[in-house]
Amino acid sequence: MAYILIKEDKMENRDIQVQGKKEIEAQGELTQEGPFFVPNVDIFEDNDNLVLLADMPGVSKDNVDIRIEDGQLRIQGKVSKETPGDYVLSEYSIGDYYSNFALSIIIDQSSIQASMKNGVLRIVLPKSDKSKPRKITIKSN
Amino acid sequence: MAIIRLKQPAYPGSGLVGGRFGKNVNVFENEMNRLFHKFFGNDMPTAYSNAFPPVNIYQDKDNIYLTAELPGMETSEVTIDIEQDGIQIRGERKIENKGENLCYSRREREGGTFSRKLTFRSKIDTNQVSAGLKDGILKVTMPKAQDSQPKKIVVKSE
């Protein structure tokens, strides 16, 4: 079975910026085969919460692991490396996701919430009361 | 900012850490790989990998499979057009952006419209194509048309 893919239509119509998957370089010996990727993340905050969104396509709700340890938030996602047939074209690699963030003390670490939908992890980190913005009214004497 | 990433991400294979330079080296490397494969031939070409969404294509005896990473997308946001000899994927990836009072400290997820069209040498049985979107991965199964499958011809003795 030779190539089945002939050509790509270059008449592309898109306004999306492409960002390749970012592979992590191991700092020690890996206990697991295959590449690891750092998910693309958005982090934003409003008055009450800090929200982290991470793209982890292929990771289901049961295969994501979130840990808070020593003031660090660690997210890890496992994907299935099964392929349906022989490769004809490979534009992205398949591997697990791993990322690590430092949590500051202004986060109320006991009430962090996480959800997973369509391969996007969403973590809501509530700010502790003392770090919320306050309006100070000036009393007239 | 209350969240800090500990380690700058490294770009695959470049040996350089972070920043635009690393990315450019990666583009250069992709191009070198492409030329290498073009020259020596390879069963797994890594062509045109700057397109969105990046796709993987597989085949077995009966089917051609296409997978694409579309994190955060709903089935209603992706349109697939099948022709006898190709496939077109279109859609718009929307990125959550609620309220004016948000303060971003990191923005890596990209949104926008996209369209890709791929043509195959094998003919596809367009009536039997199925597609699914699960955990942000699109998978399209395209059965090869009967006339493009290998046929066994029995030689009769006369």
Side-chain angles (χ1 to χ4, degrees):
Chain A
M1 286 194 266
Y3 299 110
I4 56 156
L5 186 76
I6 294 295
K7 62 170 176 142
E8 161 109 34
D9 209 333
K10 302 273 161 105
M11 292 286 287
E12 252 194 305
N13 163 34
R14 63 150 195 227
D15 57 21
I16 201 161
Q17 289 291 313
V18 179
Q19 222 180 14
K21 272 174 131 178
K22 292 169 286 188
E23 193 174 339
I24 313 180
E25 285 171 16
Q27 284 184 321
E29 280 202 57
L30 289 174
T31 52
Q32 206 185 343
E33 264 186 64
F36 272 90
F37 295 98
V38 189
N40 285 334
V41 297
D42 280 356
I43 299 169
F44 55 86
E45 58 183 299
D46 57 19
N47 288 344
D48 302 321
N49 299 304
L50 218 131
V51 180
L52 185 150
L53 299 170
D55 285 346
M56 298 201 285
V59 179
S60 66
K61 184 173 132 286
D62 303 321
N63 287 326
V64 62
D65 186 56
I66 304 162
R67 258 160 225 237
I68 298 164
E69 248 170 17
D70 305 326
Q72 288 189 15
L73 173 72
R74 196 190 78 186
I75 56 178
Q76 206 170 355
K78 282 195 166 48
V79 301
S80 157
K81 280 129 203 134
E82 255 176 59
T83 55
D86 301 327
Y87 271 105
V88 177
L89 172 83
S90 170
E91 289 183 343
Y92 68 89
S93 310
I94 301 165
D96 295 340
Y97 297 93
Y98 182 86
S99 205
N100 215 344
F101 303 90
L103 283 181
S104 86
I105 46 160
I106 65 158
I107 301 295
D108 180 3
Q109 301 200 3
S110 58
S111 45
I112 294 174
Q113 287 186 342
S115 60
M116 190 85 198
K117 197 188 172 199
N118 296 335
V120 178
L121 173 69
R122 179 191 180 91
I123 306 179
V124 180
L125 307 121
K127 292 181 183 175
S128 63
D129 285 337
K130 64 178 180 200
S131 67
K132 281 182 190 164
R134 239 164 305 196
K135 194 177 173 181
I136 292 156
T137 41
I138 300 162
K139 290 178 203 158
S140 56
N141 283 327
Chain B
M1 191 166 106
I3 276 192
I4 306 142
R5 195 194 284 280
L6 285 180
K7 193 169 167 263
Q8 270 278 79
Y11 289 93
S14 65
L16 289 164
V17 177
R20 283 177 57 195
F21 184 48
K23 211 170 181 176
N24 288 341
V25 168
N26 200 28
V27 169
F28 175 69
E29 191 182 277
N30 283 344
E31 183 64 12
M32 286 307 288
N33 282 339
R34 197 184 63 78
L35 289 172
F36 181 86
H37 291 313
K38 199 176 165 188
F39 190 75
F40 293 103
N42 191 298
D43 285 327
M44 210 179 93
T46 50
Y48 202 43
S49 57
N50 251 359
F52 188 91
V55 299
N56 283 357
I57 296 172
Y58 313 86
Q59 69 168 341
D60 56 20
K61 199 165 65 66
D62 302 317
N63 298 303
I64 300 170
Y65 305 92
L66 179 143
T67 62
E69 294 189 322
L70 295 169
M73 290 194 65
E74 303 280 352
T75 45
S76 59
E77 294 168 337
V78 190
T79 310
I80 297 167
D81 295 312
I82 291 284
E83 282 166 46
Q84 236 186 6
D85 61 347
I87 181 170
Q88 186 174 13
I89 308 167
R90 288 178 289 140
E92 181 174 2
R93 187 175 180 223
K94 296 185 183 93
I95 296 295
E96 177 182 350
N97 188 9
K98 281 181 200 143
E100 304 266 302
N101 301 327
L102 297 182
C103 169
Y104 274 86
S105 49
R106 193 170 270 270
R107 261 191 134 148
E108 294 169 347
R109 300 168 69 243
E110 300 284 355
T113 58
F114 59 85
S115 168
R116 284 195 80 178
K117 192 174 179 184
L118 298 147
T119 309
F120 304 116
R121 182 172 287 165
S122 304
K123 292 260 185 300
I124 299 164
D125 184 354
T126 49
N127 293 324
Q128 305 291 321
V129 174
S130 61
L133 191 58
K134 189 175 172 261
D135 299 327
I137 303 250
L138 172 75
K139 184 181 171 189
V140 188
T141 306
M142 296 165 277
K144 294 177 187 170
Q146 283 301 318
D147 60 353
S148 68
Q149 283 185 9
K151 258 173 236 146
K152 197 177 175 183
I153 291 158
V154 186
V155 182
K156 287 182 213 157
S157 60
E158 288 176 18

